[in-house]
Structure formats: structure tokens, C-alpha cells
Amino acid sequence: MAYQGKKLINDPNDVVTEFIEGMVETYPDLQYLDGFPGIKVVLRADVVSSTYDKVAVICGGGSGHEPAHSGFVGEGMLTAAVIGDVFASPHVDAILAGIRSVTGPMGCLLIVTNYTGDRLNFGLAAEQAKSEGYKIETVVVGDDCALPPARGITGRRGLAGTILITKIAGAAAAAGLSLDEVAEVAKHASEMVGTMGVALSVCTLPGQVTSDRLGPGKMELGLGIHGEPGAAVADLQPVDLVVSHVLKQILSRETNYLTLPRGSHIVLLINGSNCRLGGTPTMELMIASGKAVLQLQLEHGLIVDRVYTGSFMTSLDMAGGSRNSTAFGCPYQSSILAAVDSTRELNEQGYILEAAIEAGAKEIINLKDALNEWDSKVGDGDCGSTMFRGAMAILEDMKESYPLNDAAETIKEIGDSVGRVMGGTSGILYSILCKAAYAKLKESPVITPLQWANALEASIEAISKYGGAIAGYRTMLDALIPASKTLKESLDAGKDSLTAFLLSSEAAVNGAEATKNMSAQAGRSSYVSADILMTVPDPGAMAVAGWYRAATLAVKSKLQP
């Protein structure tokens, strides 16, 4: 039976802000960046970009993995960490602010875990920073050894091995190496690290119920750091057998993840998934460490030079752990919104647009729990919460700043709203959607139904370009593409605009529901087994179908009262 998870928090929406405040109060060598809490960046208090004479090293990601990544900000490791909401990657503005704050003439290395949202946000921030004259290099870490190498467009996940790459890159930067040299060291190390996770329980997001996915006497092999389902569920086994299975998966020549010749020198990291009461006890981690060292030496013929045991990259309250084996031949082992007159009278277009936006946002609010439930089975369980934040921001900002008589500018403002609060993959993809639609709508002073259809097509093209997904990949595009196609075909066939949009919204719903029968090729769902995927639709597609259908019905009610 599902039950409310126990957390020592206030408002679940404030946990990340309050965490950062507490961290900075605890460690005087750290500070948060101006713009907090809208911009969540933790950086070294002694670093100023204008005078910093070494390569800056930045990593980041969603919260809930502490001490990663903010806990590794300091001399010889990270210069700054960019922090997103729980299990959601930080948005582009925050990453760009972090780069500007610490990057001097030597440049900056971005260490990025291989998740779609992280790659998109850090990638776009890097391109913007380069256009401003900063020297930027990026290393993407994908050390997951639990899943087959070919995972659509996503590739292997970035797990606890990222901590070792952070340490190596940070030490190389502290030694005064150039940006190219630091990047090369980090890239080499990232190719020589392998990780596999094991879980005895599933994490609970703040304010949500505890999942009962794992029953008594069961463990999950190869799950990700966001609680997404792993490669397999098995009966709980003695630690000797668990360690043996994990090491063989990482080191086997059959899996070909990390093939090391006998006699290689390695570093072993035993990572506890949680550092609070209820997570993996230190006693169990130490037992696993001892068994792992012995098996590495006797069965695999490897020389373990150093062992790190503890909680380095966690998953809230999930119990379990992960193991990393790393071999490397390098010496760096040390360690503005415009004000709008709210009294201005709306024209017919503005009146209808207001109704559509309000209905769409309210539908997302109503869908919050359902989206989270679906996402808990195929992702990290926060799709509803992330979309909820965007919907609330839209409703709030619409009262104050949306120029509703100008459709194009309103779409642009919506993009700014969601980009500010949503974070993660959803945040950046919806920002891209709105920016592409805005650019297309701005081409004409009068907005017609056909131009709305063209704007939708432009949005889909932009999302596919930057996100990599296409039709059938089990993403939000599987609702948007059939909606766009039906809208264009209906208008071309001479149907009235209202009918065309109604048919289009039905196509969006049908497309979203059809994702149950698709194998995931993008995002975290691509790591989930087909049997699990068939039980639920894609949450992102269902969110699109929800707001699109609600907005269309709201327009109908205004035109046909």
C-alpha cells in the first residue's frame, strides 16, 4: 500500500532553496550566486571570474543526489555547481550564470551526466557562452553498465562514476593545466569508468507517496539515480553474490563495457544511495567494499590502489548502492518582464487566447498526480510536479505581464514563464517550443489558423532538432505530430478552423494514448523494460494532449456558447 513519505521538510516546493541556504550557512567557503533562488548556483567564495587564473570546472544536475554535486565544490574539485529542482536538470539561464561567474581567461570545462535534460540545457548554455567569447569544453559522462549499449538516442546513463571524473578534472585544473589538457584528462577518465547500481527500496520524492514497486524480499538491478526502474528485479541475495554479479557485468568481455587486462591498477568506489536514516548503512557498504576488493584481486586479477566508500551520489531515501571500477593512466588522482497595463481591454483574439491558456494550465494542474504516477513507472516520478510548476507560473504571469492582444508575444512570454520554473528536459523543450512558435508567428501581423498550424510545425521541427526524437520515440512529439498533421490536413481540406482544431486535439489524445504500444527511444523511459512501458502511456505526451484538448474546448465554448 502506498503511503506518504516521511520527510523533515516544510513546503515540498521549497526544499531545494532551503537546502542551499543551509549549506551556505554551514560551509563559509561556499556562496550562492546573485539571483538566488531563481538562479541556483553554489560556487567557491574565493573565485572571481575576472581574476581566476585556472580552468573552471562546473558540474550540476537535479537535486536529490547530495552531496553531488554542490558538496564537491572546493579546491581541487568543482569551481561551481548548478542546481536544478529535485531530479530535474537546471535551466539554461542558471548554467550560463554559473559559467559567467567563475570562468576566467583559462576557460571552463562542463562535466555533464548523460541525461537528455542535462545534455540539452548544458549544451545550449555552452553554445551561448561561446558566442559571448568564453572558452568552453564539455565532457559527457555515461558510465552505466547495467543496460545494453544501444539505447536509442540516449546512450548510457551518467551515474556515480561522475564523481571520479569530477575529482580527476578538478585536480588537473588545480595543477594549472590548459583547458584542452583538462578536457582530455577528463574524457580519457570517462572512457575508463563503469558503474552498476543495486536497490533494495525505491526513493520518495518530497510531498509524494512512497512507491511500492519493490515488494518484500526483492532487489532491483541496474536502476538509475532518479529511481527509474532498472534492468531486472530479482530475489534478494547474499552480498557475495550481488557483488559478483555487479563486477562481472562491469568487467566481462561479453558485455564489453570496461575490458581491463589483468594487472591493471584501478580505483574502486562503493557508493551508498542515501546518507540518512533509512538508506544503506555504512556497515553494509563496508561489507560490500571488502568483498569487492577481494573478488577484484582474486577473480579478475586487478590491483586496487584506492577504495572510496560512502555516500557520494544519492537518490533521496532509496536504499542500495552502486559500484564503480575505474582505471586511468594519469597523475591527477589527488585530490526582464515588460510591464503591461492590466486595465487594457482585450480584443476578441486576446479574449479567446486568455481562455485557452487558462484552460490548458488548469488541466495540467488537474493532471499533476496522474502524470506523476505514470512517470514513477517509466521515469523519475516528477513529470506532474514539473508541469504543475509551469502551469502555476503561466497563470500567475498571465495576470501581470502577458500581452494577450499580441499572440506571438504572449507565446514568447509563456516560454519565459516555463523556462524560469520548470527545469529539466520538459522545461527546455517547452522553451524551445515557444521560441520556435514565436519566431513563426512574428512573420505576419495578422494571425490566422494556418499560421497557428505553421507555428506548430516549426515547434515540432525545433524540438526534434535539439532533442533528437522523432515520431514513434515515445515522447511529447507523439501527441504534437499527429495534432499538427491533422490540423494542416483539415485546414487544407477546407474545414472550418474550429472543426480543424477539434479534430487536431482528438489526434493529440489518440497519439498520446498510443504511446503504450511504443518502445522508448529517448529520455529516461528508454532504460525501462518493454513490459513496464506497456502498462502506462508516456507522461509527456499525455501532458501535451491534456493542455491541447482543454485549450481547444475552451475556444469552442467561447465561439459556440
Side-chain angles (χ1 to χ4, degrees):
M1 177 182 298
Y3 58 92
Q4 193 74 26
K6 298 179 180 178
K7 304 283 184 181
L8 288 174
I9 64 173
N10 295 309
D11 187 331
N13 294 316
D14 296 333
V15 292
V16 179
T17 297
E18 294 182 350
F19 152 68
I20 295 172
E21 290 171 338
M23 186 176 190
V24 170
E25 289 294 336
T26 303
Y27 300 104
D29 291 339
L30 302 180
Q31 64 180 10
Y32 51 73
L33 200 57
D34 290 346
F36 177 84
I39 298 295
K40 297 181 176 67
V41 176
V42 173
L43 64 154
R44 290 173 50 181
D46 62 333
V47 172
V48 178
S49 60
S50 60
T51 59
Y52 195 52
D53 60 354
K54 294 178 180 177
V55 172
V57 180
I58 298 178
C59 191
S63 300
H65 306 306
E66 290 73 31
H69 297 280
S70 52
F72 300 112
V73 174
E75 174 69 25
M77 291 194 74
L78 294 179
T79 320
V82 192
I83 304 169
D85 291 317
V86 175
F87 290 177
S89 53
H91 54 77
V92 173
D93 290 346
I95 300 168
L96 191 55
I99 293 172
R100 292 166 176 159
S101 68
V102 297
T103 304
M106 292 288 285
C108 175
L109 175 68
L110 301 177
I111 299 176
V112 185
T113 53
N114 190 31
Y115 289 93
T116 305
D118 291 335
R119 292 200 316 271
L120 282 170
N121 285 280
F122 276 88
L124 291 177
E127 292 303 314
Q128 177 63 34
K130 290 177 183 177
S131 73
E132 296 177 8
Y134 291 97
K135 295 190 295 184
I136 307 291
E137 289 289 341
T138 302
V139 172
V140 178
V141 181
D143 53 315
D144 185 12
C145 292
L147 301 168
R151 302 300 297 184
I153 62 172
T154 50
R156 294 163 61 187
R157 295 173 290 196
L159 303 176
T162 308
I163 306 305
L164 295 173
I165 312 308
T166 294
K167 185 168 182 62
I168 292 166
L177 273 66
S178 69
L179 176 59
D180 287 343
E181 290 170 323
V182 174
E184 181 59 33
V185 166
K187 289 176 181 177
H188 175 68
S190 70
E191 294 168 355
M192 300 296 291
V193 62
T195 303
M196 183 172 175
V198 177
L200 309 182
S201 65
V202 180
C203 62
T204 307
L205 274 68
Q208 296 191 25
V209 298
T210 297
S211 171
D212 56 359
R213 189 174 81 221
L214 283 181
K218 297 292 182 179
M219 65 180 183
E220 195 161 48
L221 304 172
L223 80 171
I225 57 173
H226 308 94
E228 62 267 40
V233 175
D235 292 331
L236 186 62
Q237 299 175 348
V239 67
D240 282 352
L241 295 179
V242 174
V243 169
S244 178
H245 174 81
V246 168
L247 293 179
K248 287 179 179 178
Q249 182 73 6
I250 295 175
L251 296 168
S252 170
R253 295 190 180 277
E254 295 178 359
T255 58
N256 200 35
Y257 283 118
L258 191 62
T259 54
L260 302 176
R262 299 179 72 87
S264 295
H265 291 253
I266 69 167
V267 166
L268 171 68
L269 184 148
I270 305 291
N271 176 59
S273 63
N274 186 256
C275 54
R276 63 181 285 268
L277 186 63
T280 312
T282 301
M283 177 186 289
E284 296 175 22
L285 293 178
M286 290 299 178
I287 293 173
S289 295
K291 302 302 180 182
V293 170
L294 190 62
Q295 290 186 28
L296 285 166
Q297 292 173 336
L298 298 181
E299 297 182 20
H300 299 277
L302 300 175
I303 302 169
V304 182
D305 285 339
R306 184 171 299 181
V307 180
Y308 296 96
T309 301
S311 296
F312 304 101
M313 180 178 283
T314 67
S315 296
L316 294 173
D317 55 352
M318 179 169 65
S322 57
R323 289 159 186 84
N324 310 80
S325 295
T326 309
F328 42 81
C330 75
Y332 308 107
Q333 299 177 20
S334 63
S335 332
I336 111 188
L337 288 173
V340 176
D341 184 357
S342 61
T343 64
R344 184 175 64 179
E345 184 176 345
L346 295 178
N347 59 25
E348 183 180 13
Q349 174 187 269
Y351 180 62
I352 294 174
L353 186 57
E354 180 183 49
I357 294 171
E358 183 177 18
K362 287 184 176 179
E363 180 62 15
I364 288 297
I365 292 170
N366 293 335
L367 284 172
K368 175 186 175 183
D369 292 340
L371 293 172
N372 277 337
E373 182 178 356
W374 292 324
D375 198 36
S376 69
K377 293 179 171 64
V378 299
D380 53 14
D382 71 341
C383 178
S385 299
T386 300
M387 295 295 297
F388 174 85
R389 287 194 296 271
M392 293 296 291
I394 288 170
L395 292 176
E396 181 178 347
D397 292 350
M398 185 168 64
K399 297 175 184 178
E400 303 293 333
S401 62
Y402 288 1
L404 293 164
N405 289 344
D406 187 328
E409 290 295 333
T410 295
I411 297 301
K412 179 178 181 290
E413 294 291 349
I414 291 175
D416 291 342
S417 296
V418 298
R420 186 181 71 249
V421 303
M422 282 177 60
T425 306
S426 297
I428 187 63
L429 290 179
Y430 272 97
S431 295
I432 291 171
L433 182 154
C434 291
K435 289 178 181 178
Y438 164 75
K440 181 60 66 172
L441 292 173
K442 285 293 289 183
E443 293 178 358
S444 176
V446 180
I447 307 301
T448 66
L450 182 58
Q451 286 170 315
W452 278 113
N454 291 338
L456 183 55
E457 283 187 333
S459 297
I460 292 169
E461 181 179 351
I463 292 173
S464 184
K465 173 184 177 180
Y466 287 101
I470 58 176
Y473 273 32
R474 191 184 164 100
T475 70
M476 64 190 295
L477 291 182
D478 290 305
L480 287 173
I481 290 175
S484 175
K485 182 179 179 181
T486 301
L487 179 60
K488 205 66 176 291
E489 290 177 347
S490 298
L491 292 172
D492 289 343
K495 295 185 183 296
D496 65 272
S497 59
L498 181 57
T499 299
F501 274 99
L502 287 170
L503 291 173
S504 175
S505 70
E506 292 172 2
V509 173
N510 293 335
E513 292 177 344
T515 57
K516 279 187 177 182
N517 304 315
M518 298 176 185
S519 59
Q521 300 292 316
R524 289 168 186 161
S525 294
S526 64
Y527 306 121
V528 180
S529 70
D531 291 341
I532 296 176
L533 291 176
M534 291 177 64
T535 65
V536 295
D538 178 68
M542 293 299 290
V544 167
W547 62 255
Y548 193 99
R549 181 65 174 170
T552 303
L553 293 176
V555 173
K556 179 185 178 182
S557 69
K558 294 299 180 183
L559 297 178
Q560 297 179 351

